[in-house]
Amino acid sequence: MRVQGVGTMLKGMARLISRVHKLDRGHFLHTGTRTPQSIAGHLDNQAPVESPRAISRTSESDPVKHGEQQEGQHYNIPHQDLKTVFPHGLPPRFLMQVKTFNEACLMVRKPALELLQYLKNTNFAHPAVRYILYGEKGTGKTLSLCHVVHFCAKQDWLILHIPDALRWVKNCRDLLQSTHNKQRLDQPLEASTWLKNFKTSNERFLSQIKVQEKYVWNKRESTEKGSPLGEVVEQGITRVRNATDAVGIVLKELKRQSSSGLFHLLVAVDGVNALWGRTALRREDKSAIAPEELALIHNLRKMVKNDWNGGAVVLTLSQTGSLFKPRTAYLPQELLGKEGFDALDPFIPILVSNYSPKEFESCIQYYLENNWLQHEKAPTEKGRKELLFLSNANPGQLERLCAYL
C-alpha cells in the first residue's frame, strides 16, 4: 500500500525516528559528519550541473582504479566477481537489493578510499599493519570492508575473510570437545561452512601452497608434508568432524608462509570485537563458555596479531557483535574492552561516518533510478529534506526508510 502524502511519511516512520540518536542541534557527536541542517543547506544551494546518472554512478568497475573522482558514486561489481570474491560477506539487506535491482552496486566512500591508498603503499617486508573501521550503527562499515576485499582480490591477494565473527560466539550448534586440545571446543558446522567459502574465493592458491609439515587426522588418514593446502581444505569439507582442526591448519600455514612472496595475504574480519566479548554459548550445566575456549576464536586471535609480514589486517567493529554492550557504544575502546584493545594495539583507526551531502544525493538518485523510491514526493526537494530528517543521513536508516516508499 502506497503512502499518500509527505505528512503520512512522518507518521509511518515513527518507529524508525525513535531509533535516531538525539543529538545537539548543529553537530553529530564524535562523527565529524555534516549535520542534516548543513546537508539541507547543500540541497538548497546545489546547481544541477551533472546528469542524475553521472551523480550516482561511475563506469569504473575496477576498485584498483578508484580515487577521489569516484567518491560518492556507485560502481558495479561484475557478476563473476560477485560469485568468487563474495561467496559470503555481503550484508543480507544488500543482497536483497542485489536481487531486486539485478545488479550489485557499492558506493565508493572516503573511508574505503583512504584504506585503499594505505594498502597500495603496503611494505610487505614489514609486520602487517592493522586497520580498524569503526563508526555508529548503520554507517556502512561492512560495505566499506567489502570494497577493500574486492580491491585486494583484483590485486590477486589471498583473501582470508571472516564475514561475521559474531556467528562463532552465538547460537552455534553441535559444540564438540577438541581432539587437538581437550580444554577447547570445536565448532565443526561453522568451520566446514567457512572452508567451503574460503575455497571458492582462493581456489587458485590452494594447489600452489604446500603444507610444511605432516598432519595426521586419524589412524588411516593423514596429509603428508609437501601436499597442496587444498588437501587440508578438502579434509575439513568432506570430514566435518575435522573441519575445526582444518581451519586451524590453514590459518597456521598461511601465517607461516605469508613472507614467502608466493602470495599477499589479507585478513579481513567483520565484527572483530566479538573475539573478546562474552559469548552467548552455554554448556549443559548452563555455565558460560569463554571466547578463548573456542578453537576457532583461539586461532583467529592469532591471525589478527601483527607478528607476521606479507599482507595486511583489516577489521571492523560491530555493535551487533558486541553482546552485553550499550547500544550506543561504537568507539574502539568501548567495544573491544581493555583486553581486546591491548591485543590489537597499535592499529590505524578509520572512522566511517554518516553520508556527506554528495553521498546522500547520490544514494537518493540511485534509489530513484532503480524505482526503489516510488513515492510522488521523493524526487522533490521537500521530500528529500524529509528523508534526510528522518534518516539523520545514516545509510542504514535511509535504506530502511526508502524500502517503504
Side-chain angles (χ1 to χ4, degrees), residues 215-238:
Y215 297 102
V216 178
W217 304 103
N218 51 50
K219 293 180 180 180
R220 291 173 296 178
E221 294 179 292
S222 63
T223 299
E224 299 297 325
K225 179 180 179 180
S227 300
L229 185 63
E231 289 189 13
V232 175
V233 174
E234 285 299 325
Q235 177 68 216
I237 294 173
T238 58

Short mmCIF file of all heavy atoms in Angstrom, two decimals, residues 215-238:
data_model
loop_
_atom_site.label_atom_id
_atom_site.label_comp_id
_atom_site.label_asym_id
_atom_site.label_seq_id
_atom_site.Cartn_x
_atom_site.Cartn_y
_atom_site.Cartn_z
N TYR A 215 50.29 -33.78 8.77
CA TYR A 215 49.14 -33.66 9.67
C TYR A 215 48.38 -34.98 9.67
O TYR A 215 47.96 -35.48 8.62
CB TYR A 215 48.22 -32.52 9.23
CG TYR A 215 48.90 -31.16 9.28
CD1 TYR A 215 49.38 -30.56 8.12
CD2 TYR A 215 49.07 -30.50 10.49
CE1 TYR A 215 50.01 -29.33 8.16
CE2 TYR A 215 49.70 -29.26 10.54
CZ TYR A 215 50.17 -28.68 9.38
OH TYR A 215 50.81 -27.46 9.43
N VAL A 216 48.23 -35.56 10.84
CA VAL A 216 47.54 -36.84 11.00
C VAL A 216 46.11 -36.58 11.47
O VAL A 216 45.89 -35.96 12.51
CB VAL A 216 48.28 -37.74 12.01
CG1 VAL A 216 47.53 -39.05 12.19
CG2 VAL A 216 49.72 -38.00 11.55
N TRP A 217 45.14 -37.09 10.71
CA TRP A 217 43.73 -36.88 11.03
C TRP A 217 43.18 -38.01 11.88
O TRP A 217 42.40 -37.78 12.81
CB TRP A 217 42.92 -36.75 9.73
CG TRP A 217 43.42 -35.66 8.82
CD1 TRP A 217 44.17 -35.82 7.69
CD2 TRP A 217 43.25 -34.25 9.00
NE1 TRP A 217 44.46 -34.59 7.15
CE2 TRP A 217 43.91 -33.60 7.93
CE3 TRP A 217 42.61 -33.47 9.95
CZ2 TRP A 217 43.95 -32.23 7.78
CZ3 TRP A 217 42.64 -32.09 9.82
CH2 TRP A 217 43.30 -31.48 8.75
N ASN A 218 43.55 -39.22 11.54
CA ASN A 218 43.15 -40.39 12.32
C ASN A 218 44.11 -41.53 11.97
O ASN A 218 45.14 -41.30 11.32
CB ASN A 218 41.68 -40.78 12.03
CG ASN A 218 41.40 -40.91 10.55
OD1 ASN A 218 42.14 -41.59 9.82
ND2 ASN A 218 40.34 -40.27 10.08
N LYS A 219 43.80 -42.73 12.38
CA LYS A 219 44.72 -43.86 12.16
C LYS A 219 44.94 -44.17 10.68
O LYS A 219 45.97 -44.71 10.29
CB LYS A 219 44.19 -45.11 12.87
CG LYS A 219 44.21 -45.00 14.39
CD LYS A 219 43.67 -46.25 15.03
CE LYS A 219 43.69 -46.14 16.56
NZ LYS A 219 43.15 -47.37 17.21
N ARG A 220 43.96 -43.81 9.85
CA ARG A 220 44.05 -44.17 8.44
C ARG A 220 44.33 -42.99 7.51
O ARG A 220 44.75 -43.20 6.39
CB ARG A 220 42.74 -44.85 8.01
CG ARG A 220 42.50 -46.21 8.63
CD ARG A 220 41.13 -46.74 8.30
NE ARG A 220 40.07 -45.89 8.88
CZ ARG A 220 38.77 -46.11 8.72
NH1 ARG A 220 38.36 -47.12 7.99
NH2 ARG A 220 37.89 -45.30 9.27
N GLU A 221 44.08 -41.77 7.96
CA GLU A 221 44.19 -40.61 7.07
C GLU A 221 45.21 -39.61 7.60
O GLU A 221 45.26 -39.33 8.81
CB GLU A 221 42.83 -39.91 6.92
CG GLU A 221 41.78 -40.73 6.21
CD GLU A 221 40.46 -39.99 6.11
OE1 GLU A 221 39.83 -39.77 7.15
OE2 GLU A 221 40.08 -39.62 4.99
N SER A 222 45.99 -39.06 6.68
CA SER A 222 46.95 -38.01 7.03
C SER A 222 47.24 -37.19 5.78
O SER A 222 47.01 -37.63 4.66
CB SER A 222 48.25 -38.62 7.58
OG SER A 222 48.88 -39.40 6.58
N THR A 223 47.75 -35.99 5.99
CA THR A 223 48.19 -35.12 4.90
C THR A 223 49.71 -35.00 5.01
O THR A 223 50.22 -34.50 6.02
CB THR A 223 47.53 -33.73 4.99
OG1 THR A 223 46.10 -33.88 4.89
CG2 THR A 223 48.02 -32.83 3.87
N GLU A 224 50.41 -35.48 4.02
CA GLU A 224 51.87 -35.50 4.07
C GLU A 224 52.48 -34.13 3.86
O GLU A 224 51.90 -33.26 3.21
CB GLU A 224 52.41 -36.46 2.99
CG GLU A 224 51.96 -37.91 3.14
CD GLU A 224 52.47 -38.54 4.43
OE1 GLU A 224 53.60 -38.19 4.86
OE2 GLU A 224 51.74 -39.36 5.02
N LYS A 225 53.66 -33.94 4.43
CA LYS A 225 54.42 -32.72 4.21
C LYS A 225 54.66 -32.53 2.71
O LYS A 225 55.01 -33.47 2.00
CB LYS A 225 55.76 -32.79 4.95
CG LYS A 225 56.64 -31.57 4.76
CD LYS A 225 57.95 -31.72 5.54
CE LYS A 225 58.86 -30.51 5.32
NZ LYS A 225 60.14 -30.65 6.07
N GLY A 226 54.45 -31.29 2.23
CA GLY A 226 54.62 -31.01 0.81
C GLY A 226 53.35 -31.16 0.00
O GLY A 226 53.33 -30.87 -1.20
N SER A 227 52.27 -31.61 0.63
CA SER A 227 50.99 -31.74 -0.08
C SER A 227 50.36 -30.36 -0.28
O SER A 227 50.62 -29.43 0.49
CB SER A 227 50.02 -32.62 0.72
OG SER A 227 50.55 -33.91 0.90
N PRO A 228 49.52 -30.21 -1.31
CA PRO A 228 48.83 -28.92 -1.51
C PRO A 228 47.92 -28.58 -0.32
O PRO A 228 47.31 -29.48 0.28
CB PRO A 228 48.00 -29.15 -2.79
CG PRO A 228 48.65 -30.31 -3.47
CD PRO A 228 49.20 -31.17 -2.37
N LEU A 229 47.84 -27.30 -0.01
CA LEU A 229 46.96 -26.86 1.08
C LEU A 229 45.51 -27.24 0.80
O LEU A 229 44.72 -27.44 1.72
CB LEU A 229 47.09 -25.35 1.27
CG LEU A 229 46.33 -24.72 2.44
CD1 LEU A 229 46.86 -25.26 3.77
CD2 LEU A 229 46.45 -23.20 2.41
N GLY A 230 45.18 -27.37 -0.49
CA GLY A 230 43.82 -27.75 -0.85
C GLY A 230 43.40 -29.09 -0.26
O GLY A 230 42.20 -29.31 -0.02
N GLU A 231 44.35 -29.98 -0.01
CA GLU A 231 44.00 -31.28 0.59
C GLU A 231 43.50 -31.09 2.02
O GLU A 231 42.59 -31.80 2.47
CB GLU A 231 45.22 -32.21 0.58
CG GLU A 231 45.59 -32.71 -0.81
CD GLU A 231 46.65 -33.79 -0.76
OE1 GLU A 231 46.92 -34.32 0.36
OE2 GLU A 231 47.24 -34.11 -1.81
N VAL A 232 44.08 -30.14 2.74
CA VAL A 232 43.62 -29.85 4.10
C VAL A 232 42.21 -29.28 4.05
O VAL A 232 41.34 -29.65 4.85
CB VAL A 232 44.58 -28.87 4.80
CG1 VAL A 232 44.04 -28.46 6.17
CG2 VAL A 232 45.97 -29.48 4.93
N VAL A 233 41.97 -28.35 3.11
CA VAL A 233 40.65 -27.76 2.97
C VAL A 233 39.62 -28.84 2.65
O VAL A 233 38.52 -28.87 3.24
CB VAL A 233 40.66 -26.67 1.88
CG1 VAL A 233 39.24 -26.15 1.62
CG2 VAL A 233 41.58 -25.52 2.28
N GLU A 234 39.93 -29.72 1.73
CA GLU A 234 39.00 -30.80 1.36
C GLU A 234 38.74 -31.73 2.53
O GLU A 234 37.61 -32.23 2.71
CB GLU A 234 39.56 -31.60 0.18
CG GLU A 234 39.47 -30.88 -1.15
CD GLU A 234 38.04 -30.56 -1.54
OE1 GLU A 234 37.13 -31.36 -1.23
OE2 GLU A 234 37.83 -29.48 -2.13
N GLN A 235 39.76 -31.98 3.34
CA GLN A 235 39.57 -32.83 4.52
C GLN A 235 38.52 -32.21 5.44
O GLN A 235 37.66 -32.92 5.98
CB GLN A 235 40.90 -32.99 5.26
CG GLN A 235 40.83 -33.77 6.54
CD GLN A 235 40.54 -35.25 6.36
OE1 GLN A 235 39.84 -35.87 7.15
NE2 GLN A 235 41.10 -35.83 5.30
N GLY A 236 38.60 -30.90 5.64
CA GLY A 236 37.64 -30.23 6.51
C GLY A 236 36.24 -30.18 5.94
O GLY A 236 35.25 -30.16 6.69
N ILE A 237 36.13 -30.16 4.61
CA ILE A 237 34.81 -30.10 3.97
C ILE A 237 34.15 -31.47 3.94
O ILE A 237 32.96 -31.62 4.22
CB ILE A 237 34.93 -29.52 2.54
CG1 ILE A 237 35.39 -28.05 2.61
CG2 ILE A 237 33.62 -29.64 1.80
CD1 ILE A 237 35.69 -27.43 1.25
N THR A 238 34.93 -32.49 3.61
CA THR A 238 34.36 -33.84 3.47
C THR A 238 34.27 -34.59 4.80
O THR A 238 33.43 -35.46 4.95
CB THR A 238 35.19 -34.67 2.48
OG1 THR A 238 36.56 -34.75 2.93
CG2 THR A 238 35.17 -34.04 1.10
#
